[in-house]
Amino acid sequence: MEQESLKKEMKNRRLPLIPLRGLTVFPYMVLHFDVGRERSINALEEAMVNDQLIFLASQREAEVNLPNPEDFYQVGTISKIKQMLKLPGDTIRVLVEGINRARIKEIHQEEPYFMVEVEEENYETEITTDRDIEALMRSVLGSFEQYIEVSNKISPEILLTVSEIEMPGRMADTIAANINLKQSQKQEILEAFSPKERLETLYRILLEEIEILEIEQKINSRVKKQINKVQKEYYLREQLKAIQKELGEDEGIVEEVDEFKQKLQKIKFPKDIHEKVEREIDRLLKLSPSSAETGVIRNYIDWVLNLPWNKETKDKLDLKQSAEILNEDHYGLEKVKERILEYLAIRQLAKSMKGPILCLVGPPGVGKTSIAKSIARALNRKFVRMSLGGVRDEAEIRGHRRTYVGAIPGRIISSMRQVGTKNPVFLLDEIDKLASDFRGDPASALLEVLDPEQNADFTDHFLEMPFNLSKVMFVTTANSLDTIPRPLLDRMEVIRIAGYTEEEKLNIASKYLLPKQVKEHGLDEKTVKLSENTLRDIINYYTRESGVRNLERQIANICRKTAKKIIEDKVSVVRINPKTLKKYLGNPIYRYELINAKDEVGIVRGLAWTPVGGDTLSIEVTPMKGSGKLVLTGQLGDVMKESAKAGISYIRSRAEALKIDANFHTDLDIHIHIPEGAIPKDGPSAGIAMATAVISALTNVPVDKQVAMTGEITLRGRVLPIGGVKEKVLAAKRAGITKVLLPQDNEKDIEDIPENVRRKIQFFFVSHMDQVLGHALKRGENNEN
Ligand code: ADP
């Protein structure tokens, strides 16, 4: 405990007490309040016949009418009555000034008024020389200034008054009296007798309040922005209407109503809905054409009448032709096409589109959207796409109620209107990016959309009538399955589209993307010539992705520049080879780490999976004299760090067999670094690579530069299977690796790897670290360095 620098002295007094409701009086504060309760009036009278001093203590709960002693706080304020005014009824308005805080010691009587013995603590009121208090005063003053700024409710002049106060306790009381606080907070300040403690309490409360006010302000400005936008549009529309009225253009309302009614007749609604719409149409006649409501109703009718209630296209279910169309639009993807044809076959047999919903999962640009489009084409259905990325508000799916100014239906209904038939292929893009927050859960709304049991009468908040979505064929896409809400996932049939290999990309580029872009840029195939090697260079050095989206963009880039060249330079053929490529696309954007020049100690090539395909990781380890710290640097995630620790534990348990000094974990610091961390990596699959690098560094045995590896490690040195084998192997090949170590349990994944890649790489399937070390470490060869 610090020594309180101000001297204190105690003093007792006997005073009548008034319990206050919802008020706290601070010393130096002048305020008035009304007194009506009998005991309080008696107390007042008693005070007036004596020295006009009264003790004011706040009630814990304002509602209590006849408080007992335990209903008010023990600490209150001795106050001076300055004025009294009789009001109509039995109420008296009193003006008081707070004199000093005091604590109730004893209650002498409760009737006819409370008489209490209170104890004051008086502190020397001289100006302080205590540095701590001085500093506290400044901090409090600073935060009070900030509070005034954010709260916007207090006149800044108070700051001036407060800043002139030199007594610490008084400063705290004056500030407390002037800010908006909860009763409990005020009481807390009141109960701080020592000036220092009081300043500290106030300071903490001020900081909390500032934080809350700032958040409040942020929310306000966000809401205000939204409202401003809606209002602006609304006023503009109103103005437009006023102008139209001036120009006499609003007389057509009768014809408009007729037109609406004719349209309504054509749509065969059930009786109740027909009547509902008709009622709305009739209301148009009753309202002033320029009223805001007319606009709302007209908008509503317009939506209702223009939805495809009955319009549908006739399905074409011809599997042979469907297969042709899928092939026409896409290279490769054999398994995917097969699954889609099966799916269509089942639908054809069952003569319905009910059943699980297709979910195409894969990285961006692998053709998910374009496959969905092909399905639509194959079935002779129309196609509509809606992105769910970042949709966090249920109203985006299901619409806003009509009571909102500027309300419109949700995006499902909007898309249905846009596509114009009730049986389109409806692509829900990025279902894994669906968010949810306080505005409701869009996933559950979506579930209703996708559920064949419920979607026959999907009700949008705006339309307020069921719309039949049961004929829609929904197809969804996602980049990964992890973030798809479970109930949604359960409804879906997942088809995975992995990334493409360089060979596949090359084929897609030359057979699909290039011809397509050439045509779109008004060129023809004879005028642009791109050699195979040029395409390869574009794939490897100008894009890094699993799909072909950027590849297509780069090809479009080339086509654009070619078109310009043809016009400007009047040439008839443009040939682009790897050497001239730079002129079109600039310097290469990506480089790949190639295999090391020689076998090195403490450096191992790991293999990683990233959303844009595989990559190799060069893992470097350096042991240093130290105290057993494990230092990890590079862009590593938490799982990767855990996995490094597991590796170290394994090495410790096997130190002897590995010929490593048993004390390495107390005498050395081990630094593991993974350079080139453009893409953050995480996952357990670098486990064996990290362990191998550490063992190599500790035993001074070099690692075979031809080897790359991936696999999770357990504490006992077992090697567990990992994912993304295909991508990882492709990355290894690109780096020039010839030997790849994979977990035994991943042997089955080798089928997915294209034949030409398999031929160039030797695979070793391992189930234990001993085997890993056997393949990777070059024991006894050149470990003299
Ligand atoms: P996603 O929806 O998966 O992000 P897109 O369907 O938008 O990808 O595909 C991007 C582009 O690549 C489209 O122009 C598409 O036609 C083309 N594309 C993707 N895969 C193939 C393929 N296998 N064959 C031909 N073109 C493809």
Side-chain angles (χ1 to χ4, degrees):
M1 257 320 262
E2 279 173 55
Q3 191 81 62
E4 175 64 62
S5 63
L6 302 174
K7 273 196 221 136
K8 72 177 176 189
E9 113 200 357
M10 309 295 218
K11 184 174 167 192
N12 283 20
R13 292 181 200 249
R14 254 171 100 113
L15 293 172
L17 170 144
I18 296 185
L20 294 179
R21 306 210 247 196
L23 268 185
T24 308
V25 176
F26 284 99
Y28 314 106
M29 177 180 181
V30 177
L31 92 171
H32 60 71
F33 56 88
D34 296 344
V35 178
R37 288 182 281 185
E38 199 184 326
R39 267 196 296 193
S40 302
I41 293 179
N42 292 340
L44 261 186
E45 279 164 2
E46 167 66 19
M48 290 313 285
V49 295
N50 284 311
D51 47 8
Q52 295 162 18
L53 287 181
I54 191 137
F55 189 66
L56 300 173
S58 304
Q59 270 181 227
R60 290 174 200 276
E61 273 158 39
E63 296 76 36
V64 179
N65 210 9
L66 284 173
N68 290 318
E70 59 276 11
D71 289 330
F72 41 82
Y73 289 107
Q74 296 303 300
V75 175
T77 314
I78 301 172
S79 308
K80 176 119 189 144
I81 300 168
K82 310 208 83 166
Q83 239 180 44
M84 294 211 314
L85 180 69
K86 218 167 157 17
L87 297 180
D90 280 332
T91 318
I92 301 175
R93 178 159 296 171
V94 271
L95 185 74
V96 296
E97 181 184 8
I99 305 291
N100 199 2
R101 49 170 54 67
R103 190 181 294 114
I104 299 176
K105 283 274 129 187
E106 203 184 330
I107 298 191
H108 290 294
Q109 67 178 52
E110 296 189 19
E111 293 295 345
Y113 51 86
F114 285 109
M115 188 63 162
V116 292
E117 168 121 1
V118 297
E119 177 189 65
E120 291 173 71
E121 263 175 40
N122 280 316
Y123 287 77
E124 229 170 55
T125 47
E126 284 164 26
I127 297 152
T128 174
T129 49
D130 181 316
R131 289 257 171 89
D132 281 2
I133 295 190
E134 183 72 36
L136 251 177
M137 285 172 76
R138 286 196 204 165
S139 310
V140 166
L141 207 57
S143 55
F144 182 47
E145 187 173 357
Q146 208 183 341
Y147 178 90
I148 293 181
E149 212 168 280
V150 286
S151 88
N152 245 337
K153 284 191 195 114
I154 297 175
S155 120
E157 272 120 67
I158 293 175
L159 188 63
L160 209 67
T161 323
V162 171
S163 62
E164 276 164 9
I165 300 178
E166 293 181 320
M167 286 182 289
R170 180 168 184 167
M171 172 186 272
D173 283 332
T174 315
I175 294 180
N178 276 298
I179 56 183
N180 244 334
L181 293 178
K182 286 197 291 261
Q183 168 111 7
S184 60
Q185 290 171 315
K186 287 189 182 175
Q187 188 67 32
E188 209 182 324
I189 298 171
L190 193 67
E191 290 184 7
F193 278 83
S194 101
K196 185 170 176 195
E197 189 192 334
R198 201 177 314 153
L199 279 169
E200 280 167 350
T201 311
L202 174 67
Y203 186 49
R204 175 176 47 80
I205 292 179
L206 269 176
L207 291 185
E208 280 165 13
E209 286 299 302
I210 290 171
E211 198 175 341
I212 295 174
L213 284 169
E214 278 173 348
I215 297 173
E216 218 172 73
Q217 259 185 357
K218 253 187 237 152
I219 296 176
N220 281 346
S221 74
R222 212 177 319 149
V223 171
K224 209 160 149 199
K225 238 187 247 158
Q226 281 170 1
I227 293 182
N228 279 350
K229 190 162 162 252
V230 174
Q231 268 180 348
K232 190 173 147 207
E233 283 171 11
Y234 172 73
Y235 282 117
L236 283 178
R237 250 183 241 121
E238 286 303 302
Q239 265 174 355
L240 187 66
K241 271 195 222 137
I243 293 171
Q244 283 174 339
K245 195 173 175 199
E246 282 300 308
L247 295 172
E249 283 175 3
D250 72 310
E251 285 150 16
I253 197 89
V254 181
E255 285 106 86
E256 194 182 357
V257 165
D258 274 349
E259 237 170 74
F260 282 157
K261 289 213 167 158
Q262 273 171 22
K263 248 186 169 170
L264 176 64
Q265 286 307 331
K266 281 195 205 130
I267 304 172
K268 302 212 161 26
F269 277 123
K271 193 158 163 272
D272 52 334
I273 294 188
H274 184 98
E275 280 168 6
K276 181 178 153 90
V277 182
E278 196 162 37
R279 257 197 317 270
E280 294 284 339
I281 297 178
D282 288 337
R283 277 176 69 199
L284 277 182
L285 286 174
K286 291 185 205 130
L287 293 163
S288 143
S290 56
S291 77
E293 232 192 319
T294 310
V296 173
I297 297 173
R298 194 185 272 132
N299 180 30
Y300 176 75
I301 297 172
D302 182 55
W303 272 101
V304 172
L305 296 182
N306 285 301
L307 285 175
W309 296 98
N310 301 316
K311 254 188 241 157
E312 61 185 292
T313 50
K314 201 163 160 17
D315 274 354
K316 199 157 50 180
L317 287 166
D318 179 340
L319 281 189
K320 211 168 129 233
Q321 208 189 358
S322 303
E324 274 165 22
I325 290 179
L326 284 174
N327 282 329
E328 215 171 280
D329 296 346
H330 298 95
Y331 172 84
L333 299 177
E334 302 310 334
K335 274 192 191 162
V336 177
K337 289 175 188 165
E338 190 65 40
R339 291 271 308 271
I340 288 177
L341 290 174
E342 284 164 18
Y343 181 86
L344 294 180
I346 294 169
R347 297 291 158 277
Q348 189 174 348
L349 284 179
K351 296 234 171 353
S352 105
M353 279 296 155
K354 284 196 183 156
I357 283 145
L358 278 185
C359 179
L360 303 167
V361 182
V366 291
K368 298 181 296 291
T369 312
S370 92
I371 283 189
K373 276 189 195 155
S374 290
I375 295 177
R377 196 155 82 89
L379 289 171
N380 187 37
R381 285 181 175 219
K382 288 201 162 191
F383 176 80
V384 64
R385 172 178 175 274
M386 161 182 165
S387 173
L388 292 169
V391 168
R392 47 181 65 241
D393 186 349
E394 194 196 344
E396 282 196 56
I397 307 273
R398 220 199 270 277
H400 281 288
R401 299 205 179 275
R402 257 201 292 162
T403 39
Y404 274 89
V405 176
I408 51 165
R411 306 227 320 242
I412 299 281
I413 291 295
S414 304
S415 302
M416 292 310 289
R417 175 173 176 171
Q418 181 196 335
V419 71
T421 59
K422 66 186 233 187
N423 65 337
V425 170
F426 196 136
L427 183 72
L428 294 165
D429 224 353
E430 304 195 301
I431 197 160
D432 54 336
K433 306 273 169 6
L434 205 63
S436 93
D437 66 10
F438 63 95
R439 278 166 291 192
D441 180 8
S444 69
L446 202 60
L447 202 59
E448 205 183 307
V449 170
L450 295 179
D451 183 358
E453 302 297 323
Q454 298 183 55
N455 68 8
D457 37 33
F458 169 72
T459 306
D460 183 279
H461 288 326
F462 176 86
L463 284 188
E464 291 175 327
M465 56 176 76
F467 187 90
N468 186 350
L469 292 175
S470 68
K471 298 233 164 152
V472 176
M473 176 173 177
F474 287 103
V475 178
T476 60
T477 76
N479 290 147
S480 94
L481 293 180
D482 306 341
T483 50
I484 303 182
R486 190 74 221 184
L488 280 175
L489 193 56
D490 287 343
R491 296 236 177 287
M492 300 196 280
E493 178 170 340
V494 172
I495 298 186
R496 282 178 193 274
I497 310 185
Y500 295 116
T501 62
E502 185 184 321
E503 292 309 309
E504 286 168 329
K505 286 184 185 173
L506 189 65
N507 274 302
I508 296 174
S510 58
K511 297 198 176 91
Y512 294 82
L513 306 180
L514 187 59
K516 184 164 130 199
Q517 291 302 329
V518 163
K519 203 166 141 214
E520 273 179 22
H521 285 81
L523 304 166
D524 76 62
E525 282 177 46
K526 286 183 217 107
T527 48
V528 205
K529 301 264 185 210
L530 272 124
S531 67
E532 184 185 311
N533 281 336
T534 316
L535 285 174
R536 264 187 215 283
D537 279 3
I538 302 178
I539 292 166
N540 284 327
Y541 302 114
Y542 291 89
T543 66
R544 183 172 281 185
E545 56 181 351
S546 308
V548 291
R549 197 174 280 170
N550 286 323
L551 179 58
E552 185 169 25
R553 223 170 272 154
Q554 296 293 19
I555 291 176
N557 242 338
I558 291 182
C559 290
R560 210 168 45 241
K561 299 213 162 116
T562 309
K564 186 160 159 252
K565 200 173 164 78
I566 288 178
I567 292 172
E568 278 179 358
D569 304 355
K570 307 217 164 41
V571 289
S572 53
V573 183
V574 176
R575 276 175 219 283
I576 300 156
N577 59 41
K579 290 213 185 73
T580 51
L581 192 56
K582 243 188 180 176
K583 279 200 221 134
Y584 292 83
L585 298 180
N587 284 328
I589 306 171
Y590 300 106
R591 278 184 321 109
Y592 287 96
E593 250 188 306
L594 294 177
I595 72 170
N596 300 336
K598 60 182 180 70
D599 302 334
E600 307 238 23
V601 169
I603 300 188
V604 171
R605 193 58 65 104
L607 295 173
W609 181 92
T610 73
V612 298
D615 202 355
T616 70
L617 300 176
S618 171
I619 297 172
E620 301 181 358
V621 171
T622 308
M624 296 163 283
K625 278 229 159 0
S627 56
K629 279 196 286 293
L630 176 62
V631 184
L632 295 152
T633 51
Q635 297 219 20
L636 332 184
D638 287 343
V639 182
M640 209 147 161
K641 290 179 185 161
E642 302 275 299
S643 155
K645 285 182 197 149
I648 297 284
S649 298
Y650 161 73
I651 297 169
R652 275 177 63 181
S653 71
R654 295 284 310 258
E656 199 178 333
L658 293 167
K659 299 208 177 63
I660 292 173
D661 178 6
N663 292 329
F664 82 90
H665 63 92
T666 50
D667 300 348
L668 297 174
D669 284 350
I670 293 180
H671 186 167
I672 303 184
H673 179 65
I674 303 187
E676 297 234 350
I679 303 161
K681 293 143 193 119
D682 198 12
S685 75
I688 60 169
M690 289 191 284
T692 307
V694 174
I695 294 170
S696 158
L698 290 175
T699 55
N700 214 10
V701 179
V703 180
D704 186 349
K705 65 176 186 200
Q706 292 295 345
V707 167
M709 60 180 78
T710 175
E712 181 173 352
I713 186 172
T714 70
L715 290 177
R716 296 291 175 88
R718 281 189 303 129
V719 180
L720 301 184
I722 42 73
V725 171
K726 179 179 170 193
E727 288 85 353
K728 288 176 175 175
V729 171
L730 292 176
K733 171 172 177 262
R734 200 170 50 209
I737 297 284
T738 57
K739 294 179 189 165
V740 172
L741 310 191
L742 293 173
Q744 186 72 53
D745 291 345
N746 284 108
E747 190 168 358
K748 57 181 189 326
D749 299 325
I750 291 298
E751 288 171 24
D752 298 340
I753 297 167
E755 193 48 49
N756 61 336
V757 178
R758 260 194 273 175
R759 257 186 274 127
K760 295 202 179 112
I761 289 184
Q762 231 185 324
F763 294 100
F764 299 98
F765 298 99
V766 292
S767 53
H768 194 274
M769 265 314 280
D770 293 344
Q771 291 166 292
V772 175
L773 299 175
H775 290 298
L777 295 185
K778 293 196 123 179
R779 281 210 179 92
E781 289 176 28
N782 55 340
N783 56 349
E784 70 277 1
N785 53 338

